[in-house]
Amino acid sequence: MTGTIEKQTPPQQIRFRDKKTMIIKCPYCGPRDVIEFTYQGDATRQRPDPASSDQTAWNAYVYDRTNPMGSHREFWLHAGGCRQHLIITRDMATHVISSVGFARDAVSSGREGDRP
Amino acid sequence: MTSSRLPQGGRIDRTKTVRFTFDGKAYSGHQDDTLASALLANGVTLFGRSFKYHRPRGVFAAGSDEPNALVTILSGDVREPNVRATELEIHDGLVTESQNRFPSLEHDFMAINQLAGPILSAGFYYKTFMGPAIGPLRSTRVWMFFEKFIRRAAGLGRAGIAADPDRYERMNAFCDVLVVGTGPAGLLAAEAAAETGAKVIIAEEKPVAGGSLLASAELIDGRNAAVWAREKAAALANLPNVRFLTRTSVWGYYDGNVLTAIEHVSDFKPNRTKGQPRQRYWVIRTGKTILATGAFERPIVFPGNDCPGVMLADAVRRYAIEYGVAAGNNVTLFTNNDSAYEAARALAQAGINIVAIVDVRADVSGACIEIASSAGAELILGHAVTGTHAGKTLSSITVQHFNAQTGHVSGAPREIKTDCLGVSGGWSPAIHLASQAGGKPEWDEDLQAFLPPEPNQNWVTAGSAAGYMDTVSVLSDGATKGSSSKTKPKLPAVDAPMFDASPAPVFEIEPAVKSQKAFVDFQHDVTADDIRLAYREGFHSVEHLKRYTTLGMATDQGKTSNIPGLAIMADVRGITIPEAGTTRFRPPFTPVSFGAIAGERYGDLRPHRLTPMHDWHLANSARTYEAGLWHRPMIYGSHGETVEQAYVREARAVRQSVGIVDVSTLGKIDIQGPDAGVFLDRVYTNMFSTLPVGKARYGLMLREDGIVYDDGTTWRLSETQFLMTTTTANAGNVMQHLEFYLDCVWPDLRVHLTSVTDVWAGSAVSGPKARAVLEACVTDTAIDNATLPFMGIVHGLIGDVPVMVCRLSFSGELAYEVYCGAGFGTQVWEALLEAGKPFDIMPYGLEALGTLRIEKGHVTGAEIDGRTTAHDLHLDWMLSKKKPYIGSGMKDRAGLNDENRLSLVGLISLDNQSINGGSHIVSDAAPREPADSFGHVTAACYSPALGKYIALALVKHGTSMIGNRAYATDLLRGKHGAVEIVSHHMFDPDGSRMHG
Ligand SMILES: [Zn+2]
């Protein structure tokens, strides 16, 4: 069969992520299994000024990640629920979640994220 | 035959006879027998052959710690291997067979491996087959050649290939307190917890509650301990706030106090009720966990310790008391601690003859001496077993003088005739679940065992799991741990002699002259000498030791071998056991079937996405295929055409007259809000805030790292509303990408996103006659070039269905996308076909769609492959210089502007042969492997417009290569052909057709 590579892509596999690990208390939906959530990355990084061409700053934002053994702030999307992004403080060693809030609130109040 | 059924005793129901087979031979047992107890009752002592050396092995334990007696259950074509005979309840019609033997258990061909013993030592496979090259052969090839023989000779049971006909289900459960284990500690802990009104789940891996009490000679509150346990359990099970699960093994402890368990619902029954699952997989979320998991007896390692007839002392006791089975006529016990004397007391009460008790200690308490004498057993103190004599089963043992302080063996060997040796090397708390939960176990010098770690979640251990080894303190600890109050719990009275729980620190008997192997891990055939060899070869840490020797890595997870193995390692290193450390236990505690983990989730689990016109496509001979989750027409086949003939016919019709294609699968996102334009300016590389209402624009998105992310057209429906389209495959990702930026980066923007992919049905009408088709059916608006210019949008009606028409082109022809509510999709599609009849409108599928876009050099996911930049794809013209956007900060990085990058070109076949997608671009005229590739084909087709086989490719120095000859090579599929590199705009490069 001719045609493009794109057309021959095999069907997507659905993977079940039965992690059986955590319950996240979504401020909108209540306590839900982690399976409903999608990890969306480090919430401590600072996005450079959008007009900046400072490659060091952009490199740090896009690639540099610390892997602290202990408390860490991170974005999670409640993909199988209210679809709000949350900021979660999680202990990387024990997975204990000490705080959950809407990302919007935290970012708007200037504690996280970047300058628009 | 030395093992037999006792005339009385046991919790088996002797009024019921159960018939089963083992290795083709019919046997009978009683209701509540395990396969192990029933076979022992029938005088069967040989249960299987060992993993590596194919040595004859008997049953060693009486529970989940069994390393030897693994069998395969046969049910029709279905085989379930590696089931522990010690846990398998027999039922009428049960068919089982032994493992690791060929052709039969008694005459095993592979037992020749025993002769090869010295070369099958630790690390044998690595050294011989995976190490450096042997002669002229690459070592991996040697391994590949021998692997199938080795896998047959060594290994556990064989899995079947028949589909599992059974049902499994999964359950989620929530409770305040989960109690694991129903020995004396678990029962009182559960009772105390239930009294507070808490919601309690109790899980017991056996069919009955009681744990150690089931085989106890003690009296509790004046009653037989097993009876006391049964009554206590029945009372608990009746409480409304208690759920009592038997035959349920808790096998995993995860973060957040989540535990997993496997319940054997019906696999012990001859006939299952219709619809009843075989096993049930539990996920239990608990506030608090009480681990009353008891303790495992461990063996002492000595030469010849693996022959049938050598068992754990507690197992000998359990077969006698629980199942009314004498594991031998003349039992000897070998111990380093007092618990064997409790076993002796129980065995004597059951009427079993005890020949002798061999104790490594020179002195024992008066209570021990008293038991030995009343049992009529010779007490041999300060001695150890240094050898065994066995045919099919044990016939005698050799004992010699032993110094427990120095480990020194001396004196003349003395032979003792015995057909069953019960060994006790002390007890190890079952800390597996606690260890899984996290934390480092702590060594206890008194018990010579690891105690559970400090809790890192809300759990406690109770009873012997916490290191309490006598019934009185176990009961007390259980009641205390289960209750939240400080008041001292009322405890039942126990009538039992008090023993000292601490064993002599003796783990291995190592005579100077060894004529027999001394096994540590029976299931993986790891000997004490293998551990010493590993040490000599430099494997000093327990983690290395474990992997090199495979000690403790079999299905029993080293329940009996863990501590003896560590002790031997510590000894050769000259350090203490806690200094040698222990490895962390991992789930599962007991083997879990794949069926139970899958539960009801098997077969095709994907959602199938169908467009509103799907039934029409099928009714009109579409051949569909899956694009992501969508089913889309590939071609509309007819008259025995090949796929190529069909798409060429369809694509040709589009260029000559008009065609129609279902584009409902395109991702569609409704973007609304006062800041919608500003938002789009930030996510697209080009400007959208300036787009007039009623116009659409082609947009390009980058990732933050400057790589192209997605493309599509976005339509401005009002000042504050846009309709974004995305590629079909990327729709969900783009939605999530946009949501992330609105929530986490620009929460100040007043924009709302709604996925409307399934809300709209879309049909693209393309070709020179497209306008005529629309003019024939769209009312309430004009379609002419002035009203609906390129990239214009109008609203109208088809019949009485409101439609939105946007003039845009993926095919390069004059083309319109017609959108309507999804429910009207087929109605509008058919109306367009009807209007197109005079022009022979041709429905076309994805193959023709692809052909048209390849001819035009339009990119899709094949070119937007996560590695290409806008420059690579000749889309630099879309990069605004007036504003920042996602990716603008990093797009100018040196690596993304390197002159050696691949860029998009067209290819035309010079030998009139088709070009394979994925072919490499090389300069060699002759096929060669490996070739120096300087590019690859992303998409290929036959072009009816050009009358040639063409392709799109990403090629190094692409633009400056135009006009050159190269070769597209795909040696895997036997293709190598000359091509000319051309501009990716292969057809109608100035776009006059779509603007016409
Ligand atoms: Zn939510």
Side-chain angles (χ1 to χ4, degrees), chain A residues 5-6 22 38 44 47 51 54 61 63 75 79 112-113 115:
Chain A
I5 297 180
E6 162 207 36
M22 294 186 290
T38 305
T44 63
R47 193 167 188 261
D54 175 351
Y61 174 66
Y63 296 116
F75 291 119
E112 305 292 341
R115 299 163 292 279

Coordinates of all heavy atoms in Angstrom, one line a residue, chain A residues 5-6 22 38 44 47 51 54 61 63 75 79 112-113 115:
Chain A
I5 N 3.4 8.0 5.6 CA 3.8 7.4 6.9 C 2.7 7.7 7.9 O 2.2 6.8 8.6 CB 5.1 8.0 7.4 CG1 6.2 7.7 6.5 CG2 5.4 7.4 8.8 CD1 7.5 8.3 7.0
E6 N 2.2 8.9 7.9 CA 1.2 9.3 8.8 C 0.0 8.4 8.9 O -0.5 8.0 9.9 CB 0.8 10.7 8.5 CG -0.4 11.2 9.1 CD -1.1 12.3 8.3 OE1 -1.0 12.2 7.0 OE2 -1.6 13.2 8.8
M22 N -1.7 7.6 45.1 CA -2.1 8.8 45.9 C -3.5 9.1 45.7 O -4.1 8.8 44.6 CB -1.2 9.9 45.4 CG 0.2 9.8 45.8 SD 1.1 11.3 45.3 CE 1.0 11.2 43.6
T38 N -3.1 14.4 35.5 CA -1.9 14.3 34.6 C -0.8 15.2 35.2 O -1.1 16.4 35.5 CB -2.3 14.8 33.2 OG1 -3.4 14.0 32.8 CG2 -1.1 14.6 32.3
T44 N 8.0 25.4 40.0 CA 8.9 26.4 40.6 C 9.6 27.2 39.5 O 10.2 28.2 39.9 CB 9.9 25.7 41.5 OG1 10.7 24.8 40.7 CG2 9.2 24.9 42.6
R47 N 9.2 31.5 34.0 CA 9.2 31.8 32.6 C 9.9 33.1 32.3 O 9.5 34.1 32.9 CB 7.8 31.7 32.0 CG 7.8 31.6 30.5 CD 6.4 31.3 30.0 NE 6.4 31.0 28.6 CZ 6.0 31.9 27.6 NH1 5.6 33.1 28.0 NH2 6.0 31.6 26.3
A51 N 9.6 38.4 25.6 CA 10.3 39.0 24.6 C 11.9 38.8 24.7 O 12.6 39.1 23.8 CB 10.1 40.5 24.5
D54 N 17.3 35.8 26.0 CA 18.4 35.3 26.9 C 18.3 33.8 26.9 O 17.5 33.2 27.6 CB 18.1 35.9 28.3 CG 19.1 35.3 29.3 OD1 19.9 34.4 29.0 OD2 19.1 35.8 30.5
Y61 N 14.4 27.6 32.0 CA 12.9 27.4 32.1 C 12.5 26.1 31.4 O 11.7 25.3 31.9 CB 12.2 28.6 31.5 CG 10.7 28.4 31.4 CD1 10.0 28.4 32.6 CD2 10.1 28.3 30.2 CE1 8.6 28.3 32.5 CE2 8.7 28.2 30.1 CZ 8.0 28.2 31.3 OH 6.6 28.1 31.2
Y63 N 14.5 23.4 30.3 CA 15.2 22.1 30.5 C 15.6 21.9 31.9 O 15.6 20.7 32.3 CB 16.4 22.0 29.6 CG 16.1 22.0 28.1 CD1 16.5 23.0 27.3 CD2 15.4 21.0 27.6 CE1 16.2 23.0 25.9 CE2 15.1 20.9 26.2 CZ 15.5 22.0 25.4 OH 15.2 22.0 24.1
F75 N 2.8 21.2 39.0 CA 1.5 21.4 38.3 C 0.9 20.0 38.1 O 1.6 19.1 37.6 CB 1.6 22.1 37.0 CG 2.0 23.6 37.1 CD1 3.2 24.0 36.5 CD2 1.2 24.5 37.7 CE1 3.6 25.4 36.6 CE2 1.5 25.8 37.8 CZ 2.7 26.3 37.2
A79 N -7.3 16.1 34.6 CA -7.7 15.8 33.3 C -9.0 15.0 33.2 O -9.9 15.2 32.4 CB -6.6 15.1 32.5
E112 N 3.8 32.2 41.7 CA 4.4 31.2 40.8 C 4.3 31.8 39.4 O 3.7 32.9 39.1 CB 3.6 29.9 40.8 CG 3.5 29.3 42.1 CD 4.9 28.8 42.7 OE1 5.8 28.6 41.9 OE2 5.0 28.6 43.9
G113 N 4.9 31.1 38.4 CA 4.7 31.4 37.0 C 5.5 32.6 36.6 O 6.6 32.8 37.1
R115 N 5.8 36.6 34.4 CA 5.2 37.9 34.0 C 4.5 37.6 32.7 O 5.1 37.0 31.8 CB 6.2 39.0 33.9 CG 7.0 39.2 35.2 CD 8.2 40.0 34.9 NE 9.2 39.1 34.2 CZ 10.0 38.2 34.9 NH1 9.9 38.0 36.1 NH2 10.8 37.5 34.2

